[in-house]
Amino acid sequence: MSGARPIYLDYAATTPVDPRVAAAMNECLGLQGDFGNPSSGHAYGRSAARRVAAARAQLAALVGCASEEVVFTSGATEADNLAIFGAARAPAGAGRHLVTARTEHRAVLDPMRRLEKEGFEVTWLSPRADGRIDPDAVRAALRPDTRLVSIMHVNNETGVINDVAAIGATCRERNVLLHCDAAQSVGRLEIDLRRQAIDLLSISAHKLCGPKGIGALVVRPAARPRLAPQLLGGGQERGLRAGTLATHQIVGFGVAAEIAAIEREHEARRLGALRERLWQSLQGLGGVHLNGAGSERVAAILNVSFEGVEGESLVTGLPELALSTGSACSSASAEPSHVLRALGRSTELAQSSLRLSLGRFTTEADVEAAASAIARELYRLRSLAGTAGASPGDSGAGSGEDSGLSPLAWQYFRTAPCAGSLAGTAGPVVCGEAGGESAGTRVRIWLEIEGDSVTAARFQAYGCPHTLAVTAWVVEQLPGRRRATLVPGDPAGWAAVLDVPVEKLGRLFVVEDALQACLREWQARA
Ligand SMILES: *Cc1c(COP(=O)(O)O)cnc(C)c1O
């Protein structure tokens, strides 16, 4: 396996550019290509402008709007910002109330939080247990001074589909603008703005096998006068978004949209079957929870929580797969997934989630390899944590090169010497434990003692990969040590040996605490 790249199962994060898209983009780059500035009046500008117009039409056809309603942006983040800040700051309409949901993408949450600081009032809706936002809850939140409702079409973590048509109908009755972040649904689900009452729609090219750095906000005619531009300059995009149009990106986006329109239904059936197969295999492993169960979900996303394992360790232990976890220590923020928490999942289950997202180039073989790798690693980590039988001993493939662990830490994480318990041992044994699953880390250490020294040591641990590696390393140092010098150094020293990043140091105190608990029991016996 060494040298081979992992199987890509993270299409909800981004997708590779389709070769047909890349070819079209390439035609817009060199001197012989359509590289001109679409605003220029000469031949170069006019041919570039024609290509941009064609792409605009391809995108408009995919979502059922008019070409003029497409405003190109740098991506869905910018489209979300333009919709939210643009609607809030437009001179038309004096209301200062906004409605959104706790399960939105940060590109919606963060602008909303900013507006809240600026004196707007935001109603934060919670999803039902199945992950959906109840259209009746939106209706109940509307007030005479509500300016904008922002509810996503498909959630990027769970794949749960919101009934945006119903929400749109409610908003239209009350003359409130509806913005919908459709980054995860465009190209996957049918969107027809002639039938769905959505005023502002955010799209991202790189979620549909187009290039990164390009997206669009569709601005329906009724929303145009109620939207203030946020980027000023050359007056491009009907004054709504200044900046030279990125011809090659836009052309790629257009081709990606056209391919999606043609292949969408067939692809949804194919991915739905692959996802079902994956879910059937994972479900058989026991202690597996489907997040967003009970709700309609897109075929491409499967989000599952596994009892008894920590998400980052699971992902780190699967170097042959590229996927995401809602776990605390892999994400930038120190919180488990806000989306899974909003669904009512415990911290522990939110921390043990995997998001597997499939796409255009995912094969049946990929899905089968993923299922068996997950089974292997789940079993290994559960047995390390003492919540499953003995490990089958197969530590799987992969070099750990991209694991975020140092080579030594990887080795200890992967081989976990001294894992197990000393239950059933004939000699005197002391045991110390610290932490707990709900705290994200638990370490249990057993020492077999003879007189004043340790003759054998074993551990069980639940936690992030650094905690598991450090525990394995520390416990290996224990045999032969005496009671007075049992603890081999301190967490800072262990972190130095195994190259644990400083911000993770706090996680290692639990190892020291477990050793101290062993000492207390030992002293009580002596
Ligand atoms: C990916 C994504 C975004 C951000 O899109 P960019 O084009 O990367 O800025 C916003 N919202 C959702 C739901 C997404 O999945």
Side-chain angles (χ1 to χ4, degrees), residues 12-13 74-78 80 105 107 152 154-156 181 183-184 203-207 213-215:
S74 61
T77 300
E78 189 194 327
D80 289 346
H105 191 273
M152 71 199 329
V154 166
N155 184 272
N156 49 298
D181 178 339
Q184 293 290 344
I203 312 174
S204 175
H206 74 93
K207 302 287 173 73
I214 188 75

Side-chain angles (χ1 to χ4, degrees), residues 35-122:
F35 73 91
N37 186 329
S39 302
S40 305
H42 48 61
Y44 293 86
R46 283 199 304 274
S47 67
R50 277 193 295 275
R51 295 205 68 150
V52 166
R56 219 185 272 287
Q58 286 167 314
L59 191 58
L62 181 63
V63 298
C65 71
S67 283
E68 313 82 73
E69 294 165 21
V70 174
V71 174
F72 286 114
T73 64
S74 61
T77 300
E78 189 194 327
D80 289 346
N81 274 258
L82 173 56
I84 295 165
F85 286 124
R89 292 174 178 158
R96 293 178 70 77
H97 177 237
L98 310 160
V99 177
T100 190
R102 296 181 197 283
T103 40
E104 292 293 311
H105 191 273
R106 284 195 57 188
V108 167
L109 296 179
D110 287 3
M112 287 283 181
R113 283 192 198 113
R114 168 67 65 87
L115 288 168
E116 211 171 30
K117 285 210 180 84
E118 290 176 9
F120 282 81
E121 215 184 307
V122 179

Side-chain angles (χ1 to χ4, degrees), residues 8 40-41 48 65 140 167 171 207 284 318 360 387 409 423-424 480 485 508 512:
Y8 191 75
S40 305
C65 71
I167 293 170
C171 291
K207 302 287 173 73
L318 291 167
R360 190 166 297 165
T387 52
T485 56
L508 307 184
E512 195 179 35

